[in-house]
Amino acid sequence: MIGVPLQLGPVRLATNLLLAPIAGYCDLAFRTIVREWSTHHAGAGVGVGLACTDLLSPQGLLRGTSSSLDLASTNDFDKPVGMQLYGSDPEIMAQGARWAVEHGATVVDINMGCPVDKVTKKDGGSKLLTDLSRAVAIAARVVNELEACSLSADEWQRRLGNAQRMESANPLARSPVPLTCKVRLCWSDADYHAGNACSPHLARMLADVGVVAVTVHGRTTEMKFSGEVQLAGIARVVEAVNGQIPIIGNGDVREAPDAVRMIRETGCAGVMIGRGALSTPWLFRDAWSLESTGVVPPPPSEREIIESVRRYLQLMVQNRGDHYAMVQIRRRMTWFAKRLHTIDPRGRVVGVKPLKEAVRNAQTPSEVSDRFDEFLAGGLRGGALEPEAAQA
Ligand SMILES: Cc1cc2nc3c(=O)[nH]c(=O)nc-3n(C[C@H](O)[C@H](O)[C@H](O)COP(=O)(O)O)c2cc1C
């Protein structure tokens, strides 16, 4: 429902908007700046209700592989946080879920939507959409494990952030960390168009074994990331669960009105945003403001955007070191640049190609920071507009 915070089992989020997992992008530094756009900026109010880690290999977590531990790293500001696991073995997934609870997860999520070969060839991700009994068995086993992991009241408090825990009638009752699943409509386009998508049936079965919410990316596996998101397919899942659990819609939300449209047209209880947040980390603030007041706040200034990117760079240096920060900032500048455009002395709107090139050519984080200063002083502008910025 528009403007209504989302409830995930015992956890009531501050809003109904979630940051999606995007492998290679939604690390701790990025989740932090998304949260800061909802808390530290003028007139921010609230925005993102839950942010999720990228997909995590339970085997990697259990073995303590450094890449898995880096991906799972979180802190007290990064709350509430979902930790997403992928795999196909119920027992290993259960052990991964226990690890997540022991390492700061507010919510555990199972990936049932990834179309990438590396994941589906091992029967994980969206391959589970072709084996519903396995998908449900994994969820049931993980729910069972989560019920056996207890968290103290103090520990619960630390992982809520701006969320709340709804107390049960019995104050001594333990509420387990809730489990959510993220699915696609189904594997094949033919099944979807014939009205045989598995997601409505699957969502009902997941609810029956104790999954507290299901996120539906409105594409089939065969669509990967092409074509348009199918709001009608998400609406069918909402209809099928008939209020038993909330359904979270996902796909192609780039502007605040897209989130409102998704809720109106599908009846979903929450909206998950992925790529839209990469160029517009303040999108959650905008969408929640539109939902709750009917008004989108004015866009941030050029300086606010640059300072946020600079902060993102500093956080990456702090969390993962210079090399990681430089690799990321070079590829991420193109996304941030989609929302940076400027008026030249002749009154024309121009892009920021020279800034992107300067960041790409910089050798160190402090050089990148100098280029940001140069930009803020009026330099490094020009070139064609990003298509998305041109439409904005
Ligand atoms: C590069 C990339 C990596 C992704 N990684 C994950 C992932 O780790 N786990 C997951 O559930 N979805 C993943 N997704 C899918 C997104 O979470 C989301 O479902 C999809 O991008 C559609 O939403 P959007 O249009 O808001 O981006 C990924 C998408 C992209 C483009």
Side-chain angles (χ1 to χ4, degrees):
M1 267 184 296
I2 291 167
V4 177
L6 181 65
Q7 177 99 20
L8 299 177
V11 179
R12 187 178 166 85
L13 303 182
T15 71
N16 60 3
L17 301 169
L18 299 87
L19 174 65
I22 306 190
Y25 289 82
C26 291
D27 61 0
L28 176 59
F30 188 66
R31 297 197 301 274
T32 302
I33 64 155
V34 166
R35 292 182 194 280
E36 287 180 353
W37 275 108
S38 301
T39 52
H40 290 19
H41 291 263
V46 280
V48 69
L50 182 83
C52 195
T53 66
D54 292 343
L55 83 179
L56 305 168
S57 148
Q59 288 93 338
L61 297 174
L62 295 166
R63 276 200 299 264
T65 312
S66 64
S67 56
S68 293
L69 297 186
D70 281 339
L71 286 175
S73 111
T74 178
N75 59 29
D76 284 352
F77 181 68
D78 181 40
K79 295 290 180 292
V81 69
M83 288 195 184
Q84 187 188 62
L85 304 171
Y86 74 95
S88 60
D89 181 320
E91 199 47 45
I92 294 171
M93 292 292 275
Q95 295 319 311
R98 176 172 282 274
W99 188 98
V101 172
E102 287 166 358
H103 292 82
T106 319
V107 172
V108 172
D109 185 74
I110 300 179
N111 182 318
M112 300 187 176
C114 180
V116 173
D117 282 357
K118 206 176 119 194
V119 172
T120 57
K121 284 204 171 131
K122 291 189 178 156
D123 297 333
S126 67
K127 193 66 191 295
L128 291 169
L129 302 177
T130 65
D131 186 351
L132 301 193
S133 55
R134 179 181 284 272
V136 175
I138 294 171
R141 178 66 190 90
V142 171
V143 166
N144 188 261
E145 190 68 22
L146 291 173
E147 281 169 357
C149 303
S150 63
L151 280 187
S152 68
D154 282 355
E155 191 50 44
W156 255 118
Q157 211 47 48
R158 284 185 50 190
R159 357 192 128 183
L160 286 172
N162 62 1
Q164 289 176 295
R165 185 161 67 113
M166 304 321 273
E167 300 294 342
S168 74
N170 172 4
L172 296 177
R174 289 181 305 119
S175 26
V177 166
L179 177 67
T180 57
C181 294
K182 182 162 177 279
V183 308
R184 286 186 177 234
L185 299 172
C186 59
W187 182 280
S188 87
D189 288 347
D191 280 349
Y192 176 70
H193 292 298
N196 292 329
C198 66
S199 45
H201 181 46
L202 175 60
R204 268 198 318 263
M205 291 194 291
L206 293 172
D208 286 343
V209 298
V211 169
V212 303
V214 172
T215 303
V216 185
H217 175 191
R219 288 189 171 82
T220 65
T221 302
E222 285 180 350
M223 288 171 81
K224 300 221 158 121
F225 295 96
S226 65
E228 259 184 48
V229 73
Q230 302 293 307
L231 295 183
I234 300 174
R236 259 171 245 142
V237 184
V238 173
E239 206 180 314
V241 300
N242 195 20
Q244 192 181 349
I245 54 168
I247 297 300
I248 300 159
N250 166 244
D252 296 353
V253 171
R254 302 291 163 96
E255 308 277 350
D258 299 337
V260 170
R261 177 169 163 240
M262 180 170 272
I263 298 172
R264 282 222 171 93
E265 292 191 14
T266 68
C268 64
V271 174
M272 183 177 270
I273 302 174
R275 290 163 296 176
L278 300 182
S279 59
T280 318
W282 57 92
L283 182 52
F284 301 91
R285 171 200 79 168
D286 287 3
W288 185 248
S289 177
L290 183 63
E291 280 191 61
S292 49
T293 68
V295 179
V296 178
S301 66
E302 189 176 276
R303 178 169 292 276
E304 280 181 295
I305 297 175
I306 289 291
E307 292 308 344
S308 170
V309 182
R310 195 189 327 248
R311 165 101 177 120
Y312 169 60
L313 177 67
Q314 285 161 351
L315 286 166
M316 288 192 294
V317 170
Q318 193 179 304
N319 298 343
R320 309 277 295 269
D322 285 12
H323 177 73
Y324 175 84
M326 288 307 295
V327 170
Q328 287 292 333
I329 200 71
R330 289 188 188 115
R331 66 203 267 264
R332 297 298 286 275
M333 204 52 219
T334 303
W335 285 95
F336 293 119
K338 289 181 198 293
R339 296 293 177 191
L340 278 174
H341 42 96
T342 188
I343 312 289
D344 76 0
R346 290 161 65 188
R348 292 174 312 191
V349 182
V350 291
V352 297
K353 207 167 162 209
L355 173 66
K356 286 193 291 178
E357 275 169 12
V359 168
R360 220 172 290 131
N361 294 329
Q363 296 302 308
T364 63
S366 74
E367 242 183 79
V368 173
S369 202
D370 291 347
R371 298 291 84 76
F372 289 157
D373 289 336
E374 196 179 333
F375 178 77
L376 289 175
L380 299 176
R381 289 142 201 275
L385 271 185
E386 293 286 336
E388 201 175 307
Q391 285 161 19

